[in-house]
Each structure stands twice: as structure tokens, then as C-alpha cells.
């Protein structure tokens, strides 16, 4: 099955710093999402981005499907950005509809 | 539009008991997926339902089962609970299986 690797596993930043989170996947996918898990466990949708680039405020994401990676950029980080960021990929071409999650990047932003 | 709702939010059971968790998807969404999150195994896919049919199942024992009703609401059942079933159970809904939206989760503790 598809393998998903995220890096770095842990990241500590000072407020105001920028960061790049990476997601590598081992096979072709046609679904890819980035999530932020809040302290209560809920997964918050950040981007649905099987290919291309999207931006939402201080966050942006790029997926290069042909090279099997996606990047999440966080600019001018704030303490509220702390938490775990997950990348999830899925392949629905074979009729299977399931997401494979990476192990996450745990981000801590210091005031 | 209301988001995905899950009930109950917290549950404490003892070994050997069974449990039923409920998920109501976003209105109009016909696909419901279930995931288990544990510190050791991360986020793992359990199963996915679309229009009352199970389309895919993860690598979990037969003690884990689910169903979907005609109104797209879904339930999952775990029988003969084991300590290792303690986890956060997350439900996600989508229109057809692509972009997924998660509920707040049910935190199950097995004593």
C-alpha cells in the first residue's frame, strides 16, 4: 500500500518565524489533504490539494504529484498554530476510498 | 451548514463489553469513513460507507463493524472490547469519497 512520510517529526519555532512541512508519498494519488489537529483531537481541514498550489491567509500548500510530495508553508507563525499537522493521501481510481495518514509534524510555537 | 457530529464524545467501558458509536455526516454527503487514532499506531482507516454499502475496509479484526442508514448516518460497533481498543475514533464525511470533513471524535477508554 501507499506509504506516507512527514518531516520533520517535531518543530519548535519562535512566534513570527516561517516554516515548511513536507509530505512524501510512495505512489500515485488523486486525493491529498492537509489537516491541523487541535488540542481536543478534531482534525481541521487546511487544504484539499491533489495537485498545484493554494493559499489561505498565512498558510499555503503545494503538491507536485509527479514527484510525489506536498509542502505546507506557514508564515509569520502564531502560538495558535501549535498542534499536529497531518498529511493524508488517497487513491480512488481503483474504487477504494480510504485515506492513508502520515505520522504528523508536531509544531510548537513559542511566544 | 452543520458539520459532522459524533456521539457520544466520551465513553468508558470495561473489557468484554461492546460499544456503538454514531456519526451524522454533513447534509448531502453520502460517504462516511471511520478512523482510529492511537498514540502507537497513529490514524488508521477502519471502513468507508457510501449509500449504505461498505466500499472499503481496513485491516481490523471482525470485532469492528459498521453500517450506514438511508439518511447517511453511520454507526460503528466494537464487540468484546480489549484494552487496546482505547482510542479516539474519528468519523469523516464527503460527497463522494474525495475531500473529507472530520467530526470531533469519540474518545473511548477501555478499563
Amino acid at each position: 500500500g501507499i506509504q506516507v512520510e512527514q518531516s520533520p517529526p517535531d518543530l519548535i519555532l519562535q512566534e513570527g518565524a516561517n516554516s515548511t512541512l513536507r509530505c512524501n508519498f510512495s505512489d500515485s494519488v488523486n486525493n491529498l489533504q492537509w489537516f491541523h489537529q487541535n488540542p481536543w483531537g478534531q482534525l481541521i481541514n487546511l487544504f484539499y490539494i491533489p495537485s498545484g498550489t493554494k493559499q489561505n491567509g498565512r498558510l499555503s500548500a503545494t503538491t507536485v504529484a509527479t514527484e510525489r510530495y506536498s509542502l505546507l508553508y506557514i508564515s509569520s507563525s502564531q502560538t495558535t498554530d501549535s498542534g499536529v499537522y497531518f498529511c493524508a493521501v488517497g487513491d480512488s481510481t481503483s474504487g477504494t476510498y480510504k485515506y492513508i495518514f502520515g505520522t504528523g509534524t508536531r509544531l510548537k510555537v513559542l511566544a | 451548514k452543520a458539520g459532522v457530529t459524533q456521539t457520544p464524545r466520551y465513553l468508558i467501558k470495561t473489557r468484554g463489553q461492546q460499544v456503538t458509536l454514531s456519526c451524522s455526516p454533513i447534509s448531502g454527503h453520502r460517504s462516511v469513513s471511520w478512523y482510529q487514532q492511537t498514540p502507537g499506531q497513529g490514524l488508521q482507516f477502519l471502513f468507508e460507507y457510501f449509500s449504505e454499502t461498505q466500499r472499503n475496509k481496513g485491516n481490523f479484526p471482525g470485532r469492528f463493524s459498521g453500517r450506514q442508514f438511508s439518511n447517511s448516518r453511520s454507526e460503528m460497533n466494537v464487540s468484546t472490547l480489549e484494552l487496546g481498543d482505547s482510542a479516539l475514533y474519528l468519523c469523516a464525511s464527503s460527497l463522494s469519497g474525495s475531500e473529507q470533513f472530520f467530526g470531533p471524535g469519540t474518545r473511548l477508554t477501555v478499563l
Side-chain angles (χ1 to χ4, degrees):
Chain A
I2 298 173
Q3 306 294 317
V4 183
E5 292 183 358
Q6 290 186 243
S7 60
D10 296 279
L11 189 57
I12 300 176
L13 300 173
Q14 284 295 135
E15 202 168 26
N18 302 328
S19 62
T20 300
L21 282 57
R22 187 176 181 102
C23 171
N24 291 333
F25 41 96
S26 61
D27 207 342
S28 300
V29 299
N30 55 11
N31 292 304
L32 190 147
Q33 285 187 252
W34 283 97
F35 298 93
H36 177 210
Q37 189 165 40
N38 66 22
W40 298 272
Q42 182 154 12
L43 289 170
I44 308 299
N45 286 39
L46 296 177
F47 295 102
Y48 173 71
I49 187 166
S51 64
T53 297
K54 291 185 177 180
Q55 181 159 6
N56 184 4
R58 296 181 298 103
L59 302 181
S60 64
T62 295
T63 297
V64 184
T66 53
E67 296 187 22
R68 300 180 184 170
Y69 73 89
S70 183
L71 302 174
L72 177 68
Y73 306 96
I74 304 174
S75 64
S76 305
S77 57
Q78 301 174 356
T79 56
T80 51
D81 295 332
S82 296
V84 184
Y85 290 79
F86 288 101
C87 163
V89 303
D91 174 17
S92 59
T93 55
S94 59
T96 63
Y97 290 82
K98 69 177 184 181
Y99 269 58
I100 307 299
F101 279 78
T103 51
T105 291
R106 186 174 300 275
L107 173 65
K108 188 174 179 65
V109 181
L110 305 175
Chain B
K1 195 181 255 191
V4 180
T5 58
Q6 292 187 243
T7 56
R9 294 293 311 281
Y10 302 91
L11 207 47
I12 299 176
K13 292 285 188 179
T14 56
R15 278 178 297 174
Q17 287 187 310
Q18 76 166 18
V19 66
T20 299
L21 312 182
S22 180
C23 171
S24 292
I26 293 170
S27 178
H29 285 193
R30 296 165 65 189
S31 169
V32 174
S33 300
W34 289 89
Y35 295 81
Q36 180 197 63
Q37 185 177 27
T38 60
Q41 299 299 317
L43 275 151
Q44 293 186 287
F45 172 80
L46 279 157
F47 26 66
E48 190 252 357
Y49 288 87
F50 182 85
S51 293
E52 302 178 66
T53 299
Q54 185 182 88
R55 291 199 295 196
N56 202 357
K57 190 177 192 304
N59 295 326
F60 280 82
R63 299 186 297 107
F64 291 81
S65 62
R67 58 178 176 169
Q68 187 180 32
F69 302 95
S70 58
N71 62 358
S72 293
R73 189 178 70 85
S74 177
E75 290 182 346
M76 69 162 280
N77 183 277
V78 187
S79 62
T80 319
L81 283 165
E82 301 177 359
L83 295 179
D85 297 333
S86 294
L88 178 66
Y89 290 88
L90 292 162
C91 162
S93 81
S94 68
L95 276 173
S96 60
S98 52
E99 185 176 12
Q100 302 200 357
F101 298 85
F102 282 80
T106 295
R107 195 168 294 277
L108 171 66
T109 302
V110 182
L111 303 176

